[in-house]
Amino acid sequence: MELNTVKYENGELYILDTTKLPSSLEYVKMNNVEDCFNAIRALKVRGAPAIGVAAAYALVLSSKVARKTSFQEFYEDFRKDKEYLAKSRPTAVNLFWALDRIDAKVIENKDRSISEICKLIEREADLIKQEDIMMCRKIGEHGLTLLKDGMGILTHCNAGVLATSKYGTAVAPIYLAKERGMNIKVFADETRPLLQGARLTAYELYHSGVDVTLICDNMAATVMKNKWVQAVFVGCDRVAANGDTANKIGTYNLAVLAKYHNIPFYVLGPTSTIDMNIPDGSAIPIEERDKKEIIFGFGCQTAPEDVNVYNPAFDVTPNELITGIVTEKGIIKPPFKENLKKLFNE
Ligand code: MRU
């Protein structure tokens, strides 16, 4: 099954609306920057790498309607849209990384004609998408070295094809293992409140013929105690310079459980998700979402409408609970502060 989270074809931008899964597979056309902002905010396109790719193409749409009489006017319009898009979601650093990368390309080429700059913006967005595919493949290859035939892996949220341009991050090694005829048994947390594990991870793994078992989030301890999983693989939205990692709410719980059960806990993500400007997890902005996501969780009311709700979309796993960070450049081991610094200085 070919799933393409962000599709740019013949000058038109489409995103796969993941909020409609698993019941229907629908691509929606993005007509302007506002459509892209709303799609990111509403989680139609979600997952750190896919958000970055969508934001890059949103700037392609922006460049098409920006004023073109002078570079200054063009850049003013471009910056306005860039700043607007940066407000769509706060946690996944790939959003800001992609926006800044396109911005840098524009500035670097400010002496060229505006039509040339527009082509360069489009080319940079294409590159971001192609590189995402390559990085995910490499993450898969490095992650594969941690797998043995017959192993059980627990994963949380969706860090698969539906969160990236291909393969995924946490799920990439599992696809590569499948390609090589290995049998890996995946346990997927359903991931309350928005059920990305059930709606997306179980969906894409099931349709790819991977042996996947869906569990509710509160079953992970039992699965570990039963010795059904030998490692935990999760994605990431932002990794701080010391290795503290923000990922979907509930990831931290899993890391604590894994430590107790002596199970290795791996974070998998591209280096574009590592934010060396943030010294530790306490500085990572954590998105809080609408209480309705919890009160009307399953399409019907499941709690008193006016009850107080706390709904953070992410949590931060302290680096001491992480066994390794699998990137496209290899597996980073503790001490993360030193080893991440080395990686970025290379
Ligand atoms: O709120 P979401 O669905 O965007 O959260 C996504 C996650 O937490 C993923 O695990 C993370 O972005 C990594 S995706 C490769």
Side-chain angles (χ1 to χ4, degrees):
M1 190 179 33
E2 189 66 30
L3 298 168
N4 204 344
T5 47
V6 181
K7 214 163 42 169
Y8 185 70
E9 280 169 1
N10 308 318
E12 293 187 339
L13 180 62
Y14 295 86
I15 58 120
L16 198 174
D17 182 353
T18 61
T19 61
K20 296 276 163 55
L21 288 169
S23 24
S24 71
L25 187 63
E26 284 176 35
Y27 286 88
V28 239
K29 187 169 175 211
M30 300 288 104
N31 293 304
N32 49 44
V33 172
E34 200 181 353
D35 283 352
C36 299
F37 176 96
N38 291 332
I40 294 172
R41 175 157 276 187
L43 270 55
K44 289 180 187 211
V45 59
R46 36 66 56 203
I51 292 173
V53 174
Y57 281 113
L59 287 180
V60 174
L61 298 190
S62 160
S63 71
K64 290 185 193 214
V65 293
R67 285 171 295 163
K68 297 195 171 53
T69 30
S70 67
F71 176 79
Q72 206 174 345
E73 282 181 344
F74 175 81
Y75 191 59
E76 239 173 66
D77 290 353
F78 171 90
R79 283 291 298 206
K80 204 166 117 234
D81 283 345
K82 179 192 165 192
E83 276 152 30
Y84 170 62
L85 286 162
K87 292 197 179 95
S88 56
R89 292 192 79 189
T91 306
V93 74
N94 308 56
L95 169 71
F96 311 99
W97 171 85
L99 294 173
D100 286 344
R101 185 165 150 174
I102 304 263
D103 193 354
K105 188 52 65 183
V106 172
I107 292 295
E108 210 176 282
N109 290 283
K110 67 178 191 318
D111 296 327
R112 292 180 190 258
S113 72
I114 292 175
S115 72
E116 274 178 300
I117 295 175
C118 289
K119 280 195 197 113
L120 287 170
I121 292 176
E122 194 173 277
R123 211 180 65 143
E124 199 64 16
D126 288 340
L127 271 178
I128 287 174
K129 180 168 174 177
Q130 283 157 21
E131 285 172 22
D132 183 37
I133 297 174
M134 284 181 330
M135 287 194 286
C136 287
R137 175 90 199 177
K138 286 252 172 249
I139 291 168
E141 281 162 11
H142 292 299
L144 187 60
T145 63
L146 304 168
L147 295 179
K148 287 197 187 74
D149 198 21
M151 239 168 118
I153 297 291
L154 179 62
T155 191
H156 189 66
C157 192
N158 174 261
V161 177
L162 289 164
T164 60
S165 302
K166 206 172 175 178
Y167 305 112
T169 57
V171 165
I174 290 152
Y175 284 126
L176 297 203
K178 170 116 188 99
E179 267 177 30
R180 277 154 222 208
M182 287 162 72
N183 174 36
I184 303 295
K185 191 167 177 58
V186 180
F187 285 84
D189 273 355
E190 69 177 350
T191 316
R192 278 284 281 145
L194 295 180
L195 304 173
Q196 289 93 330
R199 293 186 301 101
L200 310 179
T201 303
Y203 174 87
E204 61 168 87
L205 292 180
Y206 171 77
H207 286 290
S208 307
V210 172
D211 181 349
V212 58
T213 301
L214 178 64
I215 58 169
C216 299
D217 300 340
N218 52 5
M219 297 167 189
T222 299
V223 166
M224 289 185 188
K225 190 174 167 216
N226 291 349
K227 301 198 186 307
W228 291 342
V229 291
Q230 286 69 50
V232 178
F233 281 11
V234 293
C236 43
D237 287 85
R238 196 184 296 224
V239 179
N242 71 343
D244 291 351
T245 294
N247 190 50
K248 179 51 56 194
I249 189 75
T251 302
Y252 175 32
N253 305 32
L254 282 189
V256 173
L257 289 177
K259 186 84 170 177
Y260 181 79
H261 291 95
N262 213 11
I263 292 171
F265 182 93
Y266 288 99
V267 168
L268 297 91
T271 46
S272 51
T273 309
I274 302 172
D275 186 351
M276 293 301 281
N277 297 318
I278 284 207
D280 60 58
S282 66
I284 301 178
I286 299 293
E287 177 182 12
E288 278 195 40
R289 294 188 60 88
D290 198 315
K291 62 192 265 185
K292 286 200 190 104
E293 290 180 351
I294 292 183
I295 294 175
F296 296 91
F298 295 88
C300 62
Q301 190 173 339
T302 54
E305 200 162 351
D306 295 324
V307 73
N308 289 334
V309 165
Y310 173 51
N311 185 17
F314 302 96
D315 58 24
V316 176
T317 300
N319 64 63
E320 60 267 25
L321 298 180
I322 299 171
T323 312
I325 303 174
V326 183
T327 72
E328 77 279 10
K329 297 194 172 153
I331 305 179
I332 320 300
K333 293 278 191 162
F336 292 116
K337 195 170 165 195
E338 288 74 4
N339 291 340
L340 286 172
K341 198 166 171 190
K342 243 187 254 162
L343 178 82
F344 278 84
N345 286 342
E346 263 163 23

